mmCIF file of all heavy atoms in Angstrom:
data_model
loop_
_atom_site.group_PDB
_atom_site.id
_atom_site.type_symbol
_atom_site.label_atom_id
_atom_site.label_comp_id
_atom_site.label_asym_id
_atom_site.label_seq_id
_atom_site.Cartn_x
_atom_site.Cartn_y
_atom_site.Cartn_z
ATOM 1 N N LEU B 1169 26.165 -19.852 24.263
ATOM 2 C CA LEU B 1169 25.799 -18.609 23.564
ATOM 3 C C LEU B 1169 24.364 -18.692 23.029
ATOM 4 O O LEU B 1169 23.616 -17.714 23.079
ATOM 5 C CB LEU B 1169 26.789 -18.330 22.417
ATOM 6 C CG LEU B 1169 28.234 -18.027 22.849
ATOM 7 C CD1 LEU B 1169 29.151 -17.896 21.640
ATOM 8 C CD2 LEU B 1169 28.294 -16.758 23.698
ATOM 9 N N GLU B 1170 23.980 -19.878 22.537
ATOM 10 C CA GLU B 1170 22.603 -20.089 22.048
ATOM 11 C C GLU B 1170 21.599 -19.942 23.180
ATOM 12 O O GLU B 1170 20.556 -19.309 23.027
ATOM 13 C CB GLU B 1170 22.463 -21.495 21.433
ATOM 14 C CG GLU B 1170 23.006 -21.616 20.018
ATOM 15 C CD GLU B 1170 22.387 -20.579 19.074
ATOM 16 O OE1 GLU B 1170 21.138 -20.445 19.077
ATOM 17 O OE2 GLU B 1170 23.145 -19.896 18.359
ATOM 18 N N LYS B 1171 21.935 -20.573 24.317
ATOM 19 C CA LYS B 1171 21.018 -20.501 25.466
ATOM 20 C C LYS B 1171 20.857 -19.052 25.938
ATOM 21 O O LYS B 1171 19.761 -18.625 26.301
ATOM 22 C CB LYS B 1171 21.529 -21.378 26.616
ATOM 23 C CG LYS B 1171 20.561 -21.421 27.786
ATOM 24 C CD LYS B 1171 20.907 -22.405 28.880
ATOM 25 C CE LYS B 1171 19.922 -22.244 30.040
ATOM 26 N NZ LYS B 1171 20.340 -22.930 31.259
ATOM 27 N N ALA B 1172 21.964 -18.305 25.898
ATOM 28 C CA ALA B 1172 21.908 -16.894 26.292
ATOM 29 C C ALA B 1172 20.946 -16.138 25.378
ATOM 30 O O ALA B 1172 20.100 -15.371 25.843
ATOM 31 C CB ALA B 1172 23.300 -16.279 26.242
ATOM 32 N N LYS B 1173 21.069 -16.396 24.087
ATOM 33 C CA LYS B 1173 20.224 -15.722 23.102
ATOM 34 C C LYS B 1173 18.744 -16.038 23.371
ATOM 35 O O LYS B 1173 17.898 -15.146 23.393
ATOM 36 C CB LYS B 1173 20.610 -16.233 21.711
ATOM 37 C CG LYS B 1173 20.385 -15.238 20.611
ATOM 38 C CD LYS B 1173 20.955 -15.819 19.319
ATOM 39 C CE LYS B 1173 20.987 -14.818 18.201
ATOM 40 N NZ LYS B 1173 21.534 -15.457 16.990
ATOM 41 N N ALA B 1174 18.478 -17.317 23.604
ATOM 42 C CA ALA B 1174 17.099 -17.747 23.847
ATOM 43 C C ALA B 1174 16.528 -17.092 25.103
ATOM 44 O O ALA B 1174 15.320 -16.909 25.225
ATOM 45 C CB ALA B 1174 17.043 -19.268 23.972
ATOM 46 N N ASN B 1175 17.403 -16.763 26.056
ATOM 47 C CA ASN B 1175 16.960 -16.149 27.309
ATOM 48 C C ASN B 1175 17.142 -14.626 27.314
ATOM 49 O O ASN B 1175 17.081 -14.012 28.375
ATOM 50 C CB ASN B 1175 17.728 -16.756 28.483
ATOM 51 C CG ASN B 1175 17.222 -18.155 28.815
ATOM 52 O OD1 ASN B 1175 16.194 -18.305 29.457
ATOM 53 N ND2 ASN B 1175 17.927 -19.165 28.345
ATOM 54 N N THR B 1176 17.403 -14.051 26.162
ATOM 55 C CA THR B 1176 17.735 -12.620 26.034
ATOM 56 C C THR B 1176 18.722 -12.139 27.099
ATOM 57 O O THR B 1176 18.536 -11.115 27.733
ATOM 58 C CB THR B 1176 16.478 -11.701 26.033
ATOM 59 O OG1 THR B 1176 15.718 -11.952 27.218
ATOM 60 C CG2 THR B 1176 15.634 -11.939 24.793
ATOM 61 N N CYS B 1177 19.756 -12.928 27.267
ATOM 62 C CA CYS B 1177 20.889 -12.506 28.100
ATOM 63 C C CYS B 1177 21.975 -12.046 27.130
ATOM 64 O O CYS B 1177 22.466 -12.828 26.322
ATOM 65 C CB CYS B 1177 21.382 -13.679 28.952
ATOM 66 S SG CYS B 1177 22.913 -13.342 29.830
ATOM 67 N N GLU B 1178 22.320 -10.762 27.218
ATOM 68 C CA GLU B 1178 23.328 -10.211 26.301
ATOM 69 C C GLU B 1178 24.721 -10.668 26.747
ATOM 70 O O GLU B 1178 25.080 -10.506 27.914
ATOM 71 C CB GLU B 1178 23.249 -8.682 26.311
ATOM 72 C CG GLU B 1178 24.210 -8.021 25.343
ATOM 73 C CD GLU B 1178 24.325 -6.505 25.559
ATOM 74 O OE1 GLU B 1178 23.470 -5.934 26.289
ATOM 75 O OE2 GLU B 1178 25.267 -5.911 25.032
ATOM 76 N N ILE B 1179 25.485 -11.234 25.825
ATOM 77 C CA ILE B 1179 26.840 -11.705 26.163
ATOM 78 C C ILE B 1179 27.870 -10.669 25.721
ATOM 79 O O ILE B 1179 27.818 -10.181 24.586
ATOM 80 C CB ILE B 1179 27.151 -13.049 25.451
ATOM 81 C CG1 ILE B 1179 26.188 -14.140 25.917
ATOM 82 C CG2 ILE B 1179 28.603 -13.459 25.670
ATOM 83 C CD1 ILE B 1179 26.451 -14.694 27.299
ATOM 84 N N LEU B 1180 28.778 -10.329 26.630
ATOM 85 C CA LEU B 1180 29.860 -9.404 26.305
ATOM 86 C C LEU B 1180 31.174 -10.181 26.320
ATOM 87 O O LEU B 1180 31.643 -10.595 27.380
ATOM 88 C CB LEU B 1180 29.927 -8.279 27.345
ATOM 89 C CG LEU B 1180 28.684 -7.404 27.503
ATOM 90 C CD1 LEU B 1180 28.790 -6.522 28.737
ATOM 91 C CD2 LEU B 1180 28.500 -6.530 26.268
ATOM 92 N N LEU B 1181 31.727 -10.387 25.131
ATOM 93 C CA LEU B 1181 33.055 -11.005 25.035
ATOM 94 C C LEU B 1181 34.062 -9.907 24.721
ATOM 95 O O LEU B 1181 33.680 -8.829 24.247
ATOM 96 C CB LEU B 1181 33.048 -12.068 23.929
ATOM 97 C CG LEU B 1181 32.478 -13.417 24.370
ATOM 98 C CD1 LEU B 1181 32.063 -14.246 23.168
ATOM 99 C CD2 LEU B 1181 33.501 -14.188 25.210
ATOM 100 N N PRO B 1182 35.349 -10.136 24.969
ATOM 101 C CA PRO B 1182 36.330 -9.080 24.679
ATOM 102 C C PRO B 1182 36.257 -8.648 23.210
ATOM 103 O O PRO B 1182 36.058 -9.479 22.328
ATOM 104 C CB PRO B 1182 37.674 -9.758 24.964
ATOM 105 C CG PRO B 1182 37.351 -10.849 25.937
ATOM 106 C CD PRO B 1182 35.976 -11.316 25.575
ATOM 107 N N ILE B 1183 36.392 -7.323 22.995
ATOM 108 C CA ILE B 1183 36.457 -6.804 21.630
ATOM 109 C C ILE B 1183 37.887 -6.389 21.283
ATOM 110 O O ILE B 1183 38.216 -6.153 20.136
ATOM 111 C CB ILE B 1183 35.490 -5.615 21.423
ATOM 112 C CG1 ILE B 1183 35.605 -4.611 22.584
ATOM 113 C CG2 ILE B 1183 34.050 -6.119 21.298
ATOM 114 C CD1 ILE B 1183 34.768 -3.347 22.408
ATOM 115 N N ASP B 1184 38.726 -6.299 22.300
ATOM 116 C CA ASP B 1184 40.167 -6.134 22.086
ATOM 117 C C ASP B 1184 40.884 -6.856 23.232
ATOM 118 O O ASP B 1184 40.262 -7.161 24.256
ATOM 119 C CB ASP B 1184 40.582 -4.666 21.996
ATOM 120 C CG ASP B 1184 40.324 -3.897 23.291
ATOM 121 O OD1 ASP B 1184 39.513 -4.377 24.120
ATOM 122 O OD2 ASP B 1184 40.916 -2.828 23.489
ATOM 123 N N VAL B 1185 42.153 -7.166 23.053
ATOM 124 C CA VAL B 1185 42.854 -8.018 24.018
ATOM 125 C C VAL B 1185 44.293 -7.551 24.234
ATOM 126 O O VAL B 1185 44.857 -6.847 23.387
ATOM 127 C CB VAL B 1185 42.885 -9.497 23.537
ATOM 128 C CG1 VAL B 1185 41.495 -10.122 23.623
ATOM 129 C CG2 VAL B 1185 43.431 -9.627 22.127
ATOM 130 N N VAL B 1186 44.864 -7.957 25.371
ATOM 131 C CA VAL B 1186 46.285 -7.708 25.623
ATOM 132 C C VAL B 1186 47.015 -9.033 25.405
ATOM 133 O O VAL B 1186 46.627 -10.055 25.989
ATOM 134 C CB VAL B 1186 46.525 -7.186 27.061
ATOM 135 C CG1 VAL B 1186 48.011 -6.911 27.294
ATOM 136 C CG2 VAL B 1186 45.703 -5.925 27.307
ATOM 137 N N VAL B 1187 48.019 -9.004 24.535
ATOM 138 C CA VAL B 1187 48.729 -10.236 24.199
ATOM 139 C C VAL B 1187 50.218 -10.121 24.508
ATOM 140 O O VAL B 1187 50.785 -9.029 24.546
ATOM 141 C CB VAL B 1187 48.568 -10.611 22.696
ATOM 142 C CG1 VAL B 1187 47.107 -10.890 22.364
ATOM 143 C CG2 VAL B 1187 49.123 -9.518 21.793
ATOM 144 N N ALA B 1188 50.829 -11.301 24.764
ATOM 145 C CA ALA B 1188 52.279 -11.385 24.950
ATOM 146 C C ALA B 1188 52.695 -12.776 24.493
ATOM 147 O O ALA B 1188 51.841 -13.660 24.332
ATOM 148 C CB ALA B 1188 52.647 -11.170 26.413
ATOM 149 N N GLU B 1189 53.995 -12.975 24.324
ATOM 150 C CA GLU B 1189 54.442 -14.299 23.862
ATOM 151 C C GLU B 1189 54.567 -15.289 25.003
ATOM 152 O O GLU B 1189 54.556 -16.497 24.793
ATOM 153 C CB GLU B 1189 55.769 -14.173 23.088
ATOM 154 C CG GLU B 1189 55.559 -13.516 21.732
ATOM 155 C CD GLU B 1189 56.811 -13.512 20.869
ATOM 156 O OE1 GLU B 1189 57.695 -14.370 21.086
ATOM 157 O OE2 GLU B 1189 56.895 -12.627 19.991
ATOM 158 N N LYS B 1190 54.732 -14.733 26.229
ATOM 159 C CA LYS B 1190 54.844 -15.611 27.396
ATOM 160 C C LYS B 1190 54.004 -15.083 28.547
ATOM 161 O O LYS B 1190 53.802 -13.876 28.658
ATOM 162 C CB LYS B 1190 56.305 -15.669 27.858
ATOM 163 C CG LYS B 1190 57.170 -16.560 27.003
ATOM 164 C CD LYS B 1190 58.563 -16.627 27.591
ATOM 165 C CE LYS B 1190 59.488 -17.406 26.661
ATOM 166 N NZ LYS B 1190 60.885 -16.993 26.808
ATOM 167 N N MET B 1191 53.580 -16.007 29.422
ATOM 168 C CA MET B 1191 52.838 -15.598 30.613
ATOM 169 C C MET B 1191 53.851 -15.372 31.731
ATOM 170 O O MET B 1191 54.050 -16.230 32.588
ATOM 171 C CB MET B 1191 51.852 -16.709 30.989
ATOM 172 C CG MET B 1191 50.744 -16.255 31.886
ATOM 173 S SD MET B 1191 49.430 -17.481 31.970
ATOM 174 C CE MET B 1191 49.762 -18.177 33.547
ATOM 175 N N GLU B 1192 54.538 -14.232 31.670
ATOM 176 C CA GLU B 1192 55.638 -13.958 32.600
ATOM 177 C C GLU B 1192 55.682 -12.483 32.922
ATOM 178 O O GLU B 1192 55.318 -11.658 32.079
ATOM 179 C CB GLU B 1192 56.976 -14.282 31.922
ATOM 180 C CG GLU B 1192 57.462 -15.689 32.109
ATOM 181 C CD GLU B 1192 58.728 -15.942 31.295
ATOM 182 O OE1 GLU B 1192 59.479 -14.979 31.014
ATOM 183 O OE2 GLU B 1192 58.931 -17.104 30.945
ATOM 184 N N ALA B 1193 56.202 -12.161 34.110
ATOM 185 C CA ALA B 1193 56.409 -10.755 34.453
ATOM 186 C C ALA B 1193 57.480 -10.178 33.537
ATOM 187 O O ALA B 1193 58.432 -10.871 33.175
ATOM 188 C CB ALA B 1193 56.846 -10.631 35.912
ATOM 189 N N GLY B 1194 57.288 -8.922 33.144
ATOM 190 C CA GLY B 1194 58.325 -8.212 32.388
ATOM 191 C C GLY B 1194 58.344 -8.477 30.887
ATOM 192 O O GLY B 1194 59.170 -7.888 30.182
ATOM 193 N N VAL B 1195 57.480 -9.354 30.366
ATOM 194 C CA VAL B 1195 57.494 -9.604 28.912
ATOM 195 C C VAL B 1195 56.891 -8.419 28.167
ATOM 196 O O VAL B 1195 56.087 -7.666 28.714
ATOM 197 C CB VAL B 1195 56.692 -10.882 28.501
ATOM 198 C CG1 VAL B 1195 57.324 -12.124 29.054
ATOM 199 C CG2 VAL B 1195 55.232 -10.764 28.911
ATOM 200 N N ALA B 1196 57.315 -8.276 26.902
ATOM 201 C CA ALA B 1196 56.723 -7.235 26.062
ATOM 202 C C ALA B 1196 55.272 -7.617 25.763
ATOM 203 O O ALA B 1196 54.988 -8.781 25.485
ATOM 204 C CB ALA B 1196 57.513 -7.110 24.761
ATOM 205 N N SER B 1197 54.366 -6.635 25.844
ATOM 206 C CA SER B 1197 52.957 -6.929 25.559
ATOM 207 C C SER B 1197 52.371 -5.786 24.735
ATOM 208 O O SER B 1197 52.930 -4.690 24.686
ATOM 209 C CB SER B 1197 52.185 -7.089 26.863
ATOM 210 O OG SER B 1197 52.202 -5.877 27.596
ATOM 211 N N ARG B 1198 51.256 -6.067 24.078
ATOM 212 C CA ARG B 1198 50.570 -5.006 23.344
ATOM 213 C C ARG B 1198 49.064 -5.254 23.346
ATOM 214 O O ARG B 1198 48.607 -6.381 23.540
ATOM 215 C CB ARG B 1198 51.111 -4.907 21.899
ATOM 216 C CG ARG B 1198 50.794 -6.092 21.037
ATOM 217 C CD ARG B 1198 51.297 -5.896 19.591
ATOM 218 N NE ARG B 1198 50.429 -6.588 18.647
ATOM 219 C CZ ARG B 1198 50.402 -7.914 18.476
ATOM 220 N NH1 ARG B 1198 51.220 -8.692 19.166
ATOM 221 N NH2 ARG B 1198 49.561 -8.456 17.617
ATOM 222 N N THR B 1199 48.331 -4.181 23.157
ATOM 223 C CA THR B 1199 46.874 -4.293 23.048
ATOM 224 C C THR B 1199 46.522 -4.303 21.574
ATOM 225 O O THR B 1199 47.076 -3.517 20.800
ATOM 226 C CB THR B 1199 46.199 -3.085 23.737
ATOM 227 O OG1 THR B 1199 46.631 -3.053 25.102
ATOM 228 C CG2 THR B 1199 44.684 -3.220 23.698
ATOM 229 N N CYS B 1200 45.651 -5.225 21.186
ATOM 230 C CA CYS B 1200 45.288 -5.285 19.771
ATOM 231 C C CYS B 1200 43.840 -5.718 19.575
ATOM 232 O O CYS B 1200 43.187 -6.202 20.506
ATOM 233 C CB CYS B 1200 46.251 -6.214 19.014
ATOM 234 S SG CYS B 1200 46.095 -7.935 19.472
ATOM 235 N N GLY B 1201 43.359 -5.516 18.372
ATOM 236 C CA GLY B 1201 42.006 -5.949 18.015
ATOM 237 C C GLY B 1201 41.988 -7.448 17.769
ATOM 238 O O GLY B 1201 43.044 -8.090 17.650
ATOM 239 N N LEU B 1202 40.791 -8.021 17.692
ATOM 240 C CA LEU B 1202 40.687 -9.475 17.554
ATOM 241 C C LEU B 1202 41.272 -9.980 16.244
ATOM 242 O O LEU B 1202 41.740 -11.114 16.167
ATOM 243 C CB LEU B 1202 39.214 -9.910 17.672
ATOM 244 C CG LEU B 1202 38.593 -9.710 19.052
ATOM 245 C CD1 LEU B 1202 37.129 -10.141 19.040
ATOM 246 C CD2 LEU B 1202 39.353 -10.481 20.122
ATOM 247 N N GLY B 1203 41.302 -9.131 15.212
ATOM 248 C CA GLY B 1203 41.844 -9.572 13.922
ATOM 249 C C GLY B 1203 43.356 -9.442 13.826
ATOM 250 O O GLY B 1203 43.946 -9.785 12.795
#
Side-chain angles (χ1 to χ4, degrees):
L1169 294 175
E1170 281 305 312
K1171 184 172 175 193
K1173 209 174 189 181
N1175 285 281
T1176 56
C1177 172
E1178 183 191 347
I1179 298 285
L1180 300 169
L1181 278 161
I1183 46 175
D1184 63 341
V1185 289
V1186 181
V1187 297
E1189 288 186 24
K1190 283 184 186 153
M1191 199 167 104
E1192 270 175 26
V1195 295
S1197 63
R1198 67 177 211 286
T1199 302
C1200 68
L1202 293 179

